[in-house]
Amino acid sequence: MENDVVLDATGLICPMPLLKAKRALNAMEIGQTLQILATDHTSRQDFITFSEQSGHQLISSSVSDGVYNHLLRKMK
């Protein structure tokens, strides 16, 4: 699956990965996907909560070698 936008937020701490993701989503079309790469361990819960509150779909969230990989679909 190829993502429409990839956001590299590695090295940033809370709340920057989430703020950069919000900015990226605002510039995207409904249905497009945003992949966020982050190293902040709080990003997993941040994106779970964000998807519940914003209405955007959290397709997946995983971690490998200290890098969190979150995939969101813009829903509105």
Side-chain angles (χ1 to χ4, degrees):
M1 173 187 213
E2 187 172 319
N3 300 305
D4 296 301
V5 178
V6 177
L7 172 64
D8 184 356
T10 57
L12 301 177
I13 58 172
C14 182
M16 291 309 295
L18 186 57
L19 293 175
K20 288 188 174 281
K22 285 181 181 180
R23 187 177 311 147
L25 284 165
N26 286 338
M28 295 169 59
E29 300 292 326
I30 293 172
Q32 287 186 307
T33 57
L34 171 63
Q35 178 184 18
I36 305 107
L37 304 173
T39 49
D40 184 350
H41 70 280
T42 65
S43 67
R44 175 173 271 170
Q45 187 58 49
D46 288 345
F47 283 103
I48 290 170
T49 302
F50 173 70
S51 68
E52 291 170 353
Q53 293 177 350
S54 69
H56 299 300
Q57 179 186 11
L58 181 62
I59 298 169
S60 65
S61 185
S62 61
V63 62
S64 178
D65 295 326
V67 177
Y68 294 84
N69 187 345
H70 310 289
L71 185 60
L72 291 170
R73 181 178 318 279
K74 182 171 179 164
M75 301 302 289
K76 57 180 184 170

